[in-house]
Amino acid sequence: MPIEFIRNRPAIAVELLRETVGIHPSYATATVEAVDCTQTAPVEFRADSVVVLRDAQGGPTMALIVEVQKHRDARKRFSWPVYATTLRARLKCATALLIICADPGVARWCERAIPLGPSGLITPLVVHPGTIPLITDPARAKASPELAVLSTVMHAGEPGITPALEAMVAALDTLDPERAKLYLHYVFAVLPDVARKHLEEIVTTTGYDYESIARQYLSHWIEQGRKEGEAKGRAEGRAEGRAEGRAEGEAVALLAVLEARGLEVSAEVRERITGCTDPEVLESWVRRAVTVDRAEELFA
């Protein structure tokens, strides 16, 4: 989802750069451009996103390679320098490697300088809870809704999260309804139980239909599951494979939504969901997942 923020408003990458290390680049436009960082080589290198800052004449002034990192991956310490050096050579401008990481331990690993040899280093700039402030001022949140959402997610487990949630919801009112709901889906999916309950109360008292939001969030997972299932079925080349793939996709979607709502899923419930091969039955359970208080109520 942080990459979706950048697609929607590339300037958010510059704001993260300012928050992280206090760099204030001058530019006229910020655009998301090709993420292919491959030279003539047998291996393809693609960054999560690339934002290019350009001056008034259209010339590149800085390129920001943006990666979202959830866990340690030793391979990245070899591919990240490729992204930076290849893009720098192609655009002939300054290049920065910006890593978004919500886990403080993984962030510390990401921050380590990457030695290129005896005479060179590349040091990633890392966005983590320690570099993103908790935004509780509605005016500041409205100035950058994406930054407000990311701030809320980064500080989701902190006791003072409620004012930040209120500021974030106020900021979402400045966006078109579909984007606002998409961002809410993301926040609902990552908040711990207590904070999620606070957010439910806030959105239901500020004009948002929480049940509708939950259904849309659900639909996103179902659609993704169906696409994966259909792809699997086509690969298997038979109608039974397509049906099994769709059922598997909806089962994955259902479990994801139960988890996002903070409902406990017992081994028996999980086994019944994953063991069901009827897409229609699973779809009926999916619809119930929006409002049930316990996972066992799916089967009532």
Side-chain angles (χ1 to χ4, degrees):
M1 184 55 71
I3 300 304
E4 186 71 21
F5 296 164
I6 291 168
R7 291 194 192 102
N8 291 332
R9 196 167 68 87
I12 185 66
V14 183
E15 293 172 12
L16 293 175
L17 191 66
R18 290 170 179 165
E19 294 289 347
T20 304
V21 290
I23 295 176
H24 298 257
S26 60
Y27 66 100
T29 62
T31 57
V32 174
E33 301 193 13
V35 296
D36 191 346
C37 300
T38 306
Q39 294 276 33
T40 304
V43 179
E44 181 183 274
F45 293 95
R46 293 181 65 83
D48 288 341
S49 187
V50 170
V51 175
V52 179
L53 310 183
R54 297 183 180 275
D55 58 25
Q57 289 70 45
T61 60
M62 179 176 282
L64 301 175
I65 299 164
V66 185
E67 288 269 292
V68 176
Q69 196 65 25
K70 297 180 180 179
H71 52 79
R72 299 187 184 196
D73 183 349
R75 296 171 298 178
K76 291 290 188 177
R77 297 183 65 78
F78 293 95
S79 61
W80 283 339
V82 176
Y83 300 164
T85 55
T86 303
L87 200 60
R88 180 175 179 272
R90 178 155 63 87
L91 296 177
K92 296 179 175 57
C93 69
T95 304
L97 180 62
L98 194 64
I99 313 297
I100 300 175
C101 182
D103 184 283
V106 177
R108 286 192 293 272
W109 175 82
C110 293
E111 287 176 322
R112 289 163 45 198
I114 303 171
L116 302 181
S119 60
L121 289 173
I122 287 182
T123 305
L125 308 175
V126 184
V127 177
H128 57 79
T131 59
I132 292 290
L134 183 62
I135 298 177
T136 58
D137 178 9
R140 186 179 182 189
K142 288 178 180 179
S144 179
E146 287 83 3
L147 187 61
V149 172
L150 195 56
S151 167
T152 300
V153 170
M154 288 283 186
H155 298 277
E158 297 182 12
I161 192 65
T162 300
L165 294 173
E166 293 171 346
M168 181 199 70
V169 172
L172 296 183
D173 282 338
T174 66
L175 303 177
D176 65 84
E178 290 307 311
R179 192 191 300 184
K181 288 182 179 180
L182 177 66
Y183 291 175
L184 275 174
H185 300 165
Y186 171 53
V187 177
F188 272 119
V190 300
L191 286 180
D193 293 347
V194 174
R196 188 184 299 114
K197 291 297 183 184
H198 287 318
L199 184 56
E200 286 181 20
E201 294 170 2
I202 294 168
V203 298
T204 53
T205 58
T206 53
Y208 284 100
D209 181 352
Y210 171 69
E211 188 168 314
S212 172
I213 290 170
R215 282 202 173 93
Q216 284 201 341
Y217 172 68
L218 198 63
S219 297
H220 168 76
W221 285 102
I222 295 170
E223 184 63 26
Q224 290 297 109
R226 283 176 176 165
K227 285 180 180 177
E228 293 174 8
E230 289 172 3
K232 178 180 176 181
R234 282 195 298 271
E236 294 178 356
R238 46 190 187 85
E240 294 85 350
R242 287 193 294 274
E244 291 170 3
R246 181 187 164 199
E248 181 180 339
E250 295 208 17
V252 170
L254 176 54
L255 289 170
V257 174
L258 291 172
E259 181 180 347
R261 291 197 60 213
L263 300 181
E264 182 179 352
V265 180
S266 65
E268 291 78 11
V269 169
R270 185 177 299 274
E271 183 177 353
R272 185 165 178 182
I273 290 172
T274 56
C276 181
T277 58
D278 188 331
E280 281 69 29
V281 171
L282 283 162
E283 190 174 348
S284 70
W285 292 346
V286 161
R287 287 194 296 270
R288 294 177 192 169
V290 180
T291 55
V292 295
D293 294 322
R294 297 170 58 251
E296 287 76 10
E297 295 175 14
L298 289 173
F299 316 122

